[in-house]
């Protein structure tokens, strides 16, 4: 799992510095400690190829950049432009 | 590399109040890449929970903090910051960074390249670091937060 950050702390009663990796939700930008086996349900976005935080609102693919653009534009946070696939040249009279 | 700045503030540990809120200025999109939290009050075994949460334009009031340049060659920051809130900022639902710790220790979160806490460019949109006591001894005093950010 690709780390997106690190929590650095010195536990009480110890002189050893601990480093705990964090990962980031590719949709809302949330960071959390990565703990395999914690039991927390997370998600994975096949479109972004990235991990999501598991929140219901992040089940819909709205990439972080798009979400920030939506905030700037005052749009619904879940807004995403319609993307269509065009297999060949579009006729000029459409 | 973007322009880099530092901003710090502190507030009395209350009921999940913001210790520091940083907001975009409307021209450049900021991203926080380094967060340090600690407590300057008399040491006590108190469990604290820190949460970073998005904020929007609201009626927040407090003491303005001017971001300091990390490189003297840069221009002043477009972003603004506020601490010692008398009126809390308006929070957006959802926590984007959470850390729990004993108040005797200090914690630091550092982003990997590209992994910062990004803020939209709209003036007033920002991120606040909130703190609350979750268990342990009573704690009276100031909790401190420092952000390093680029824009």
């Amino acid at each position: 799992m690709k780390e997106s950050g690190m929590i650095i702390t010195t536990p009480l009663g110890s002189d050893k510095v601990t480093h705990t990796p964090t990962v980031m939700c590719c949709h809302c930008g949330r960071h959390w400690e990565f703990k395999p086996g914690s039991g927390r349900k997370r998600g994975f976005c096949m479109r972004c190829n990235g991990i999501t935080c598991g929140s219901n609102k992040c089940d819909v693919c709205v990439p972080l950049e798009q979400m920030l653009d939506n905030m700037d534009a005052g749009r619904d946070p879940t807004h995403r432009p319609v993307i269509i696939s065009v297999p060949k040249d579009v006729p000029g009279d459409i | 590399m973007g322009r880099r700045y530092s901003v710090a503030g502190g507030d009395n540990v209350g009921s999940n109040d913001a210790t520091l809120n940083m907001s975009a200025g409307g021209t450049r999109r900021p991203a926080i890449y380094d967060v340090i939290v600690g407590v300057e009050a008399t040491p006590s075994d108190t469990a604290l929970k820190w949460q970073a949460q998005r904020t929007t334009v609201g009626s927040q009031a407090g003491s303005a903090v001017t971001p300091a340049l990390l490189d003297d060659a840069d221009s002043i920051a477009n972003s603004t910051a506020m601490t010692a809130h008398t009126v809390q900022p308006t929070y957006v639902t959802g926590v984007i960074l959470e850390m729990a710790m004993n108040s005797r220790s200090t914690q630091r979160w550092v982003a990997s390249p590209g992994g910062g806490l990004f803020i939209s460019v709209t003036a007033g949109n920002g991120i606040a670091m909130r703190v609350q006591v979750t268990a342990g001894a009573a704690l009276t005093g100031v909790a401190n937060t420092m952000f390093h950010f680029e824009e």
Side-chain angles (χ1 to χ4, degrees), chain A residues 2-12 22 24 28-33 57 64-65 67-69 71-73, chain B residues 29 45 54 95-99 102 104-112 114-122 125:
Chain A
K2 183 187 173 193
E3 297 170 8
S4 60
M6 186 77 71
I7 293 175
I8 304 165
T9 188
T10 305
L12 205 61
T22 62
M24 181 172 75
C28 70
R30 177 180 180 145
H31 292 255
W32 70 91
E33 292 180 24
K57 64 184 175 63
L64 180 60
E65 282 291 321
M67 187 201 72
L68 294 173
D69 287 344
M71 290 178 74
D72 287 335
Chain B
R29 177 178 284 179
D45 280 325
R54 292 190 186 281
V95 174
I96 56 173
L97 176 66
E98 186 173 283
M99 293 188 285
N102 186 306
R104 292 180 190 271
S105 63
T106 295
Q107 274 198 341
R108 179 183 181 202
W109 173 81
V110 189
S112 302
L117 304 175
F118 292 92
I119 301 171
S120 59
V121 75
T122 302
N125 282 359

Side-chain angles (χ1 to χ4, degrees), chain B residues 58-120:
Chain B
S59 57
Q60 68 166 342
S63 302
V65 185
T66 304
L69 283 71
L70 292 180
D71 183 346
D72 285 343
D74 284 339
S75 56
I76 61 171
N78 179 241
S79 304
T80 58
M82 185 164 282
T83 186
H85 288 81
T86 52
V87 179
Q88 291 292 302
T90 303
Y91 296 104
V92 176
T93 305
V95 174
I96 56 173
L97 176 66
E98 186 173 283
M99 293 188 285
M101 67 177 212
N102 186 306
S103 68
R104 292 180 190 271
S105 63
T106 295
Q107 274 198 341
R108 179 183 181 202
W109 173 81
V110 189
S112 302
L117 304 175
F118 292 92
I119 301 171
S120 59

